């Protein structure tokens, strides 16, 4: 493909809700999805919640002709649930597993077992290189009291890091998936502002779908209306995001979502709506993609930078809240463990009295003795496992906070108008006049 | 720095063996390391096994003047042990935690708790961007029967993926660390061949250090000579690797290692030797860096590609061995769990007999009853946790194997001389004549 040519690209994204034996009409819905994909022949298909590898393999078989290239991203206990089908050859893949993803003891939520991650595939579109990302972040079970918010913010932070650092060689970047974040949620703003990714729904020339682009709608028979309160109609949490490069521009001409039902079918494809974006690739760098690389308009760049500083600061605050919670939980498990140990020693001491004072009567009924001992061991084991888990959670949160602080320092220095690139003479000279912690003024 | 200028850069790497209260003379050695670093003023210092954050903070304080910029990479239960100090501003950092890293129940080896990872920092050296990586792979405890080999191969695979995918925007790439692999080990060849990273020891103009560049030497008072058998003198497992770009060349002028003792000190810095590389950066792309980008010599490129195909195939075989082991271990834990459950049911059945047949004598002594029940529960819990763990291990191994298969397909297609970039007409047309599994001919 010559660079002067325009190329169109159709991208599809769907959270398949594919929990075998638990999700309603799972096999029938996979059959419907397979048929539709086979017929529609999108260039790139990004699927989430394909929890069973068997379902992926069935889809792969069905789409062998329309989408000869595919990849299933494996992670965690169950898998990442992420799958990708493509008409174009997948040259290379890479998986980044988020360091935080809920709690294993919240088994009814199940996120931890899924090993949530972001999968990347490098595709060659003629002479262009596309980096295509698919992801699924931790679900939001209660918006008012969202105990998973720090985890989701760290996931959004790691997602933007992963995309920024792995996309330097890309001509175009496409991200599709279920972000489990509303358009103006902190993690979403962080992702879009830091990476420069643009929301297809917001910039499409033509949109056909549900009001406000919502993708988890009240009209869908599989969604629980109660869980959507206070959003009567539904929420927008699935996205297709795009970004060009200095060489290549990318635009969304048409965006479509399903509307809760499928023609000639008794039920929809999933509890989420499916997204389709018709993208146009070109070699002209137009005004709205120029800010991908070097901003032409300095004022606007400074504005964006200031916005980014605010967002990262907000994210850092949220992560600090998470650190506080994790510290408290770790402390609680340590204290409970110590109490369990004290109880065990107390029991042993009481039991030892008649043993030492020969002839004295055994004050402990045997049944109670063994039950109490078992309880003590159970407490010790559980609190030990929890302590290890919370320590890992704490390390990940602290790590993210450290990275945010460092990034803030760099951003603020840029914002102050200091030259980011150091002068040559500074290279081997002593770093005079620069204070050790100067890049982290907030600490 | 103008591109025509030459810049020198001194890089230091050391595995600090910093296990508080367990490593010998830990505080004294940290004091020695701090003093030496403060005096030597290397541009970049890459440390491994800095297990305690307190030790990192002490070092940071001590190096505040010589190395105003630093980062400590947090991960796992204890931490990744990775730290970086720099004279040049660290613009951004990113951490990739390896998906596999030993077994939690091998507590005496301790690797699992460390959360081994590769840390990246982006540094601005004048107008050049350097991507600096520091890592520490899983230790090798028994070379003859190395049960961790599949894990280390997957780590090497993920390391090369991480470096390849995050270094597209870099002018120079520097990797330092304890790879726990001999120079010709599979993971080492995989890393070097796939990324194009060059070993400073092999290409330095001047070397001053131990024979054969060994970094774990028999003469070091902290190393156990028994563990080094059959390598009487020692082994080389610590490295500084470098790579330039199409714009910038990088060469190693001088390479030094410590030789087991430090002048005026009763003991060395660590059980590993410290590495120092004096690097020279330039704008001329000379013959030996030309193959970083587009190979000028097609024959040599084809040869390298064929070598890479062989290495990836070898790695894939090793990972398959790991998959086989993990499957067997998972099966064993499942079988043991089922036996524990059967035992529990049997016990309950025996106990229920007199309860159902009123008047019959209780055949079970109470003590044995409770002890047996506790044993059954312990078996069930342990086998459940092991089953979950082995499932995760299996998923990671299978994921790596999938990625290797896909990469092999791409490499083999390149090798066959097929154009990698598809013709324009193929973009929106049906993928005729291309078989679904054509990119994975080995499957």
């Amino acid at each position: 493909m010559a660079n002067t040519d325009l190329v169109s690209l159709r991208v599809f994204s769907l959270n398949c809700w594919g929990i075998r034996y638990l999700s309603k009409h799972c096999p029938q819905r996979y059959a419907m999805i397979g048929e539709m994909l086979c017929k529609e022949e999108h260039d790139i298909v990004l699927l989430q919640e394909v929890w069973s590898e068997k379902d992926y393999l069935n889809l792969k078989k069905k789409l062998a002709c329309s989408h000869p290239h595919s990849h299933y991203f494996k992670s965690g206990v169950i898998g990442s649930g992420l799958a990708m089908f493509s008409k174009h050859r997948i040259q290379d893949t890479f998986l980044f597993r988020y360091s935080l993803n809920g709690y294993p003891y919240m088994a009814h939520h199940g996120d931890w077992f899924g090993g949530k991650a972001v999968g990347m595939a490098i595709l060659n579109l003629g002479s262009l290189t596309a980096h295509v990302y698919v992801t699924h972040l931790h679900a939001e079970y209660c918006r008012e009291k969202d105990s998973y918010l720090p985890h989701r913010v760290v996931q959004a932070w790691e997602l933007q890091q992963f995309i920024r650092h792995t996309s330097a060689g890309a001509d175009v970047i496409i991200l599709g998936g279920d972000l489990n974040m509303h358009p103006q949620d902190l993690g979403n703003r962080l992702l879009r502002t830091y990476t420069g990714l643009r929301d297809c729904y917001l910039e499409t020339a033509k949109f056909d779908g549900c009001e406000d682009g919502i993708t988890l709608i009240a009209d869908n028979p599989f969604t629980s209306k109660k869980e959507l309160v206070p959003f009567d109609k539904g929420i927008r949490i699935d996205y297709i995001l795009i970004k060009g490069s200095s060489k290549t521009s990318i635009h969304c001409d048409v965006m479509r979502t399903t509307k809760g039902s499928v023609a000639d079918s008794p039920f929809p494809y999933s509890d989420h709506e499916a997204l389709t974006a018709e993208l146009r690739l070109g070699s002209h760098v137009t005004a709205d993609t120029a800010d991908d690389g070097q901003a032409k308009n300095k004022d606007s760049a400074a504005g964006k930078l200031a916005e980014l500083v605010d967002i990262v600061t907000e994210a850092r605050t949220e992560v600090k809240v998470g650190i506080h919670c994790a510290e408290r939980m770790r402390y609680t498990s340590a204290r409970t463990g110590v109490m369990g140990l004290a109880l065990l020693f107390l029991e042993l001491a009481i039991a030892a009295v008649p043993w030492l004072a020969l002839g004295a009567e055994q004050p402990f009924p045997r049944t109670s003795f063994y039950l109490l001992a078992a309880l003590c061991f159970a407490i010790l084991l559980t609190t030990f496992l929890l302590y290890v888990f919370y320590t890992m959670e704490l390390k990940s949160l602290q790590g993210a906070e450290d990275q945010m602080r460092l990034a803030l320092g760099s951003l603020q220095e840029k914002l102050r108008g200091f030259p980011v690139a150091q002068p040559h003479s500074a290279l081997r000279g002593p770093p005079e006049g620069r204070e050790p912690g100067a890049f982290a003024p907030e600490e």
Side-chain angles (χ1 to χ4, degrees), chain A residues 89-198:
Chain A
R89 172 178 282 280
I90 297 174
Q91 295 291 333
D92 211 344
T93 55
F94 190 28
L95 182 76
F96 181 88
R97 193 174 158 191
Y98 299 122
S99 64
L100 287 173
N101 186 34
Y103 305 94
Y105 54 81
M106 299 297 268
H108 58 297
H109 285 168
D111 292 69
W112 185 85
F113 291 89
K116 299 274 170 79
V118 46
M120 176 182 86
I122 299 181
L123 269 61
N124 280 355
L125 308 174
S127 64
L128 295 180
T129 304
H131 286 208
V132 182
Y133 301 85
V134 57
T135 194
H136 183 196
L137 302 197
H138 197 293
E140 184 185 73
Y141 295 97
C142 172
R143 197 164 173 84
E144 280 71 47
K145 209 177 167 185
D146 184 13
S147 54
Y148 297 115
L149 184 57
H151 284 212
R152 207 177 308 102
V153 169
V154 171
Q155 289 186 342
W157 173 258
E158 289 175 342
L159 176 59
Q160 66 79 13
Q161 278 189 315
F162 185 71
I163 294 177
R164 272 195 305 124
H165 292 306
T166 58
S167 62
D171 294 307
V172 290
I173 306 170
I174 298 163
L175 164 66
D178 174 4
L179 299 184
N180 270 313
M181 301 187 289
H182 295 216
Q184 284 310 310
D185 278 1
L186 171 60
N188 211 330
R189 283 179 286 135
L190 182 68
L191 173 67
R192 279 184 288 127
T193 314
Y194 221 145
T195 58
L197 283 164
R198 287 136 46 209

Side-chain angles (χ1 to χ4, degrees), chain A residues 1 78 110 194 202 251 260 440:
Chain A
M1 188 187 71
I78 305 170
Y194 221 145
L202 293 181
H251 293 277

Side-chain angles (χ1 to χ4, degrees), chain A residues 9 17 22 35 70 81 102 112 149 155 163 192 196 199 219 231 241 268 272 328-329 360-361 367 407 409 414 437:
Chain A
L9 199 68
W17 192 41
L22 285 177
E35 273 161 36
S70 68
W112 185 85
L149 184 57
Q155 289 186 342
I163 294 177
R192 279 184 288 127
D199 188 342
D219 285 343
F231 304 96
L241 304 175
H272 285 243
R328 215 179 45 209
M329 295 298 280
E361 217 172 288
T367 313
K414 263 189 204 172

Side-chain angles (χ1 to χ4, degrees), chain A residues 154 157-158 319 395-405:
Chain A
V154 171
W157 173 258
E158 289 175 342
V319 172
K395 281 266 185 283
S396 296
L397 286 165
Q398 286 170 340
E401 208 257 325
D402 285 350
Q403 290 171 345
M404 285 175 184
R405 193 181 63 230

